[in-house]
Amino acid sequence: MAHAPQTKIAATYMRGGTSKGVFFKLDDLPESARVAGAARDALLMRVIGSPDPYGKQIDGMGAATSSTSKTVIVGKSTRPDHDVDYLFGQVSIDQPFVDWSGNCGNLSAAVGPFAITNGLIDPARVPTNGIAVVRIWQANIKKTIIAHVPMTDGAVQETGDFELDGVTFPAAELQLEFMDPAEEGDGGSMFPTGNLVDDLEVPGVGTFKATMINSGIPTIFLDAEALGYTGTELQDDINGDAAALARFETIRAHGALRMGLIAKVEEAASRQHTPKVAFVAPPKAYVSSSGKQIGAGDIDVLVRALSMGKLHHAMMGTASVAIGTAAAIPGTLVNLAAGGTERDNVNFGHPSGTLRVGAQAQRVDGEWKVTKAIMSRSARVLMEGRIHVPRQGF
């Protein structure tokens, strides 16, 4: 009987923020997968266990959620003033494709530690004790991320007392700076429609006020009340409602078209990672998914966001950048829900708890610009070694 032999590839399974993914050094990949194309996609899908019509990813490293169906490739950077290039692939769970259209802000937290541990950073730039500054080129969106990685006795410090809602155990705090995070790629606009708020017409669904922004990741912000929600919803409130998920996907597809991310609505089906859809509301008390009591006075605004067709259990890191940016700009739906005042940081409530993110925004020649967004995350190696993959298609 013909069979495909297994190949073994060095890999690291890491948590970054509230996500998990399989990390590879570029040079460790089979030669055919070191460049973009069908071979690379075939390898990463098989690693994760996709496409899986059962939706479980049993025969791979994925865990059947958007937060865990992720892959990362890191290599030494050839760009000036950068240490490594970081490429993120969001693997579809049940469809045969890898979405390369955006970044993962949560896994961005693990890139610096991975690069240091795997010898991709000049040792002269890594202190024995203190903070190592890793300059990352995010290749999907062509942006710079600066990671401040704690070091203790010559090794990346992973344990500590920093608590991140959505992650069960405390760890070491790692600060990320997303430099000039607005716009997707080169030459785009933070607000692709030219407006802070638009009327988004969605055939068969309705017309909604929407803030459509490119910062961190393209995101469509909607008003929770207009959708029939309070902003305090948890995952089961949305993900158990097939009609609601279908409505959000229709809204997302038409928003993507309006933002110029796709040429026709049908293309949204193969671009699941971007844009994101989120809804916002003024502060209200609620109980998080872990049972934690969140008071109205503990937060500035409520935000719920969908990723890969489902409500996220916490908040995507890139969407957090979009939230921080939009909150800093008077007149956006996020800013209005947060009270409508000028601010350089926002503490928002999400299904798992709260998160603070800062953003420095200013108006230049009539257009809004954001120089950087800052947030704290944590990261930890879960397993390292060699992953076994049936050699087929790469």
Side-chain angles (χ1 to χ4, degrees):
M1 180 182 294
H3 67 279
Q6 294 221 78
T7 188
K8 303 173 185 178
I9 306 169
T12 304
Y13 196 44
M14 295 191 73
R15 178 186 65 77
T18 56
S19 291
K20 294 190 293 187
V22 183
F23 282 63
F24 298 96
K25 287 172 62 177
L26 177 63
D27 292 344
D28 286 337
L29 292 175
E31 189 172 351
S32 63
R34 295 177 192 173
V35 295
R40 172 182 284 177
D41 288 4
L43 168 64
L44 298 182
M45 284 190 287
R46 196 65 180 88
V47 163
I48 294 297
S50 291
D52 184 354
Y54 302 106
K56 302 298 183 184
Q57 294 178 324
I58 293 297
D59 202 25
M61 296 296 292
T65 69
S66 68
S67 301
T68 57
S69 188
K70 301 188 173 192
T71 57
V72 170
I73 301 171
V74 183
K76 285 192 174 184
S77 183
T78 57
R79 300 183 63 88
D81 301 321
H82 290 80
D83 298 303
V84 292
D85 293 340
Y86 151 46
L87 187 65
F88 167 69
Q90 177 78 55
V91 180
S92 175
I93 295 170
D94 58 354
Q95 299 298 316
F97 69 89
V98 181
D99 194 330
W100 300 100
S101 65
N103 178 33
C104 175
N106 277 299
L107 288 189
S108 297
V111 173
F114 175 83
I116 292 171
T117 302
N118 284 273
L120 295 174
I121 309 298
D122 180 356
R125 298 195 58 252
V126 180
T128 301
N129 294 286
I131 301 295
V133 178
V134 181
R135 304 162 300 189
I136 301 163
W137 179 250
Q138 213 303 314
N140 300 74
I141 58 173
K142 299 179 174 61
K143 295 292 180 180
T144 299
I145 302 170
I146 299 177
H148 299 262
V149 183
M151 302 291 299
T152 301
D153 296 333
V156 172
Q157 181 187 333
E158 297 182 309
T159 58
D161 56 9
F162 173 69
E163 296 185 357
L164 179 64
D165 286 338
V167 178
T168 305
F169 304 107
E173 182 175 6
L174 187 156
Q175 189 179 84
L176 293 174
E177 296 178 275
F178 295 84
M179 309 303 295
D180 187 27
E183 308 148 20
E184 185 185 14
D186 298 319
S189 171
M190 185 190 303
F191 296 99
T193 67
N195 304 313
L196 300 183
V197 179
D198 285 280
D199 287 323
L200 178 61
E201 296 181 16
V202 185
V205 178
T207 300
F208 303 92
K209 296 292 183 184
T211 289
M212 291 175 276
I213 187 171
N214 282 352
S215 184
I217 200 164
T219 305
I220 303 162
F221 289 106
L222 305 167
D223 178 73
E225 186 176 5
L227 295 165
Y229 297 123
T230 64
T232 61
E233 285 76 15
L234 303 183
Q235 276 193 301
D236 289 348
D237 299 321
I238 304 295
N239 294 345
D241 187 341
L245 294 177
R247 181 172 63 151
F248 275 119
E249 180 57 22
T250 304
I251 293 171
R252 191 186 75 87
H254 284 273
L257 184 66
R258 187 74 176 272
M259 295 177 79
L261 298 173
I262 55 178
K264 52 186 179 180
V265 170
E266 293 76 15
E267 293 177 10
S270 60
R271 186 183 172 126
Q272 294 182 355
H273 184 50
T274 60
K276 302 300 187 188
V277 176
F279 53 95
V280 300
K284 302 180 186 69
Y286 68 100
V287 180
S288 76
S289 56
S290 68
K292 182 180 179 179
Q293 296 281 343
I294 309 296
D298 298 332
I299 53 176
D300 302 309
V301 64
L302 288 163
V303 190
R304 302 296 190 261
L306 285 86
S307 178
M308 301 292 285
K310 296 291 182 70
L311 189 74
H312 197 275
H313 75 284
M315 186 56 64
M316 304 80 79
T318 47
S320 299
V321 173
I323 292 165
T325 302
I329 298 175
T332 69
L333 291 185
V334 182
N335 176 268
L336 292 172
T341 59
E342 292 187 9
R343 60 175 64 246
D344 57 13
N345 66 80
V346 65
N347 192 32
F348 63 87
H350 57 74
S352 293
T354 67
L355 180 67
R356 182 176 298 278
V357 58
Q360 299 175 0
Q362 57 184 333
R363 203 175 183 97
V364 179
D365 297 329
E367 289 196 9
W368 283 100
K369 303 288 183 184
V370 59
T371 55
K372 66 179 174 180
I374 304 171
M375 73 179 77
S376 288
R377 280 292 195 262
S378 61
R380 189 171 74 84
V381 171
L382 302 178
M383 183 178 288
E384 59 185 5
R386 293 185 299 173
I387 193 162
H388 293 222
V389 191
R391 185 110 196 186
Q392 201 165 16
F394 61 90

